[in-house]
Amino acid sequence: DFASLISALLAELLDIPFYKDVAECHSKHRAGAVFTFGKELPSERNIIVFDDFVTSGATMISMRELLFSIRLQPRVLHRNQQ
């Protein structure tokens, strides 16, 4: 899929690990989506979450909540931020 291809390429260019499908969405509808970790968590403290569609931001908000649940302090960057 597009997001995985782009993420893998970025990881290679940045020389950082790439983890595919670490989080799973349990809904076909993105509004109010709930994510859980489906695999072992990455050991890195800093992680990049890549979403290939920018609409309402619901996916990133849900991922933020998931990361807070494991006590990571995510910083959500919007495309308008510098």
Side-chain angles (χ1 to χ4, degrees):
D1 71 72
F2 179 75
S4 294
L5 291 172
I6 295 297
S7 298
L9 179 60
L10 286 172
E12 184 178 329
L13 290 171
L14 296 171
D15 195 28
I16 59 175
F18 168 66
Y19 301 93
K20 181 177 180 179
D21 298 332
V22 172
E24 298 176 353
C25 181
H26 298 280
S27 171
K28 292 185 180 184
H29 306 285
R30 293 295 186 218
V34 174
F35 287 86
T36 59
F37 288 111
K39 298 179 180 181
E40 187 175 329
L41 297 176
S43 60
E44 292 79 17
R45 176 94 175 120
N46 296 305
I47 61 172
I48 298 169
V49 176
F50 181 82
D51 187 8
D52 58 341
F53 284 95
V54 178
T55 52
S56 68
T59 300
M60 291 305 224
I61 291 169
S62 294
M63 284 301 301
R64 180 179 176 267
E65 294 303 316
L66 179 60
L67 294 170
F68 270 132
S69 76
I70 61 166
R71 302 197 193 294
L72 286 178
Q73 298 297 314
R75 179 169 183 234
V76 178
L77 295 178
H78 303 281
R79 64 183 170 154
N80 296 1
Q81 279 185 310
Q82 295 183 2

